[in-house]
Amino acid sequence: MGPVQPENALALDRVIGLGTPQSVGSFRFWFADQRWDWSDEVAAMHGYAPGTVTPTTELLLTHKHPDDRAQVASALAKSIEEGEPFSSRHRILDTLGRVHHVIVVADHLFDHVGAVVGTSGYYIDVTETLEEHRQEALDDALPELWASRAVIEQAKGAVMLVYGVNAEQAFRVLSWRSQETNIKLRTLASRLVADLESLTNSTVGLRTQFDHLLLTAHERIDAG
C-alpha cells in the first residue's frame, strides 16, 4: 500500500498529540536521601497545582491504588537497594479520587563524575481519555499507517508485551517518544526494533533494559 494520504497525515498529527498536556511528565529521584523532584505535569496527574506540594515517597505511595501500593513500594525499595531505575506500571488516585493508569519509564540518574545517584524518567498517563473525535481520527488513519509501516506494529507489540498495555496505549507511548525527540515515528520504531536484539537474560530486568532502549533509541539513529 502507498504512503499515508495528506488528509490522514493531518489526522495523525492531531491524534498523536497525546491529549491533554498532563499526559506525560518527568521526575527525578535521588537514592541517598530519597529526594523527589517532579514536573508540573506529574503534579497534575496526582491532582496538585504546580508548586503547591513537595513530593515525597510517603506522599507518592498514598496516591497509589490500594491494590498496587505494595507492588510499587517493593519496586521502589528494590530500585534503591540495587541502584537500578524505578520502572512500573500501576494506578494512581488523584486528590479527587479519580483513577489514572500510568507507566513509569526511567533510566539511571548520574552525578557530575558519572556515578549513579538515582533514577529519572517519565510518568505516562495511558488512561482511556481520548475524545471521541480523536478516536474517530485514529480509526480512520491508523489502518493505512500500519499497513504501510509494519515496523511500527513490531515496536508497538514490544511495548505491549513489556508494559502490559493495549495497542492504543502502546502507540501513544511510541508517539510520545517521537514528539519528545523530534524524530519520525517510523525511524524511531525501526531503531527500537533493531535494538531488541540487545536484550539479555541478565540480572537486570527486562522492563529496565527496555526502558533504557526506549529512552535512548534516538541517540542511536545516526549510528544505524
Side-chain angles (χ1 to χ4, degrees):
M1 186 172 290
V4 177
Q5 298 302 313
E7 61 271 20
N8 278 348
L10 290 174
L12 282 171
D13 285 342
R14 294 193 298 271
V15 169
I16 65 177
L18 294 178
T20 55
Q22 63 265 33
S23 293
V24 180
S26 60
F27 78 94
R28 291 181 294 175
F29 176 63
W30 287 265
F31 293 143
D33 56 2
Q34 296 194 30
R35 177 165 49 94
W36 291 86
D37 177 51
W38 64 12
S39 68
D40 293 345
E41 293 81 7
V42 177
M45 288 180 199
H46 290 79
Y48 297 106
T52 59
V53 66
T54 299
T56 64
T57 298
E58 181 180 6
L59 177 67
L60 287 168
L61 288 178
T62 62
H63 279 282
K64 305 309 177 188
H65 189 283
D67 293 340
D68 298 342
R69 191 171 296 139
Q71 162 213 322
V72 175
S74 176
L76 184 58
K78 182 178 180 181
S79 176
I80 297 171
E81 180 181 352
E82 300 182 1
E84 292 295 337
F86 169 59
S87 301
S88 177
R89 176 182 175 239
H90 58 270
R91 292 162 292 177
I92 61 176
L93 300 174
D94 65 20
T95 55
L96 296 179
R98 295 172 300 194
V99 178
H100 298 257
H101 295 258
V102 300
I103 298 173
V104 181
V105 179
D107 209 340
H108 290 107
L109 177 64
F110 300 97
D111 65 11
H112 66 285
V113 296
V116 175
V117 294
T119 180
S120 65
Y122 301 88
Y123 271 70
I124 310 170
D125 190 336
V126 294
T127 308
E128 302 294 342
T129 56
L130 290 180
E131 299 171 6
E132 184 176 351
H133 74 275
R134 287 178 176 270
Q135 184 60 55
E136 291 175 353
L138 190 68
D139 292 340
D140 290 342
L142 288 188
E144 185 175 352
L145 175 70
W146 288 342
S148 62
R149 300 181 180 180
V151 69
I152 295 177
E153 281 289 87
Q154 291 179 277
K156 187 160 64 72
V159 173
M160 292 169 65
L161 175 65
V162 172
Y163 298 122
V165 296
N166 64 32
E168 182 180 316
Q169 292 169 335
F171 185 73
R172 293 177 70 191
V173 171
L174 292 173
S175 299
W176 155 63
R177 289 310 297 159
S178 173
Q179 291 185 331
E180 184 80 9
T181 59
N182 197 30
I183 292 176
K184 290 183 178 180
L185 184 58
R186 181 182 183 181
T187 302
L188 193 69
S190 180
R191 180 68 266 170
L192 186 60
V193 169
D195 287 341
L196 293 178
E197 296 181 359
S198 68
L199 295 176
T200 67
N201 292 322
S202 68
T203 55
V204 178
L206 175 63
R207 181 173 290 178
T208 296
Q209 293 182 68
F210 191 83
D211 279 359
H212 177 73
L213 293 182
L214 181 64
L215 293 175
T216 61
H218 63 286
E219 299 174 359
R220 295 182 295 281
I221 297 296
D222 291 338

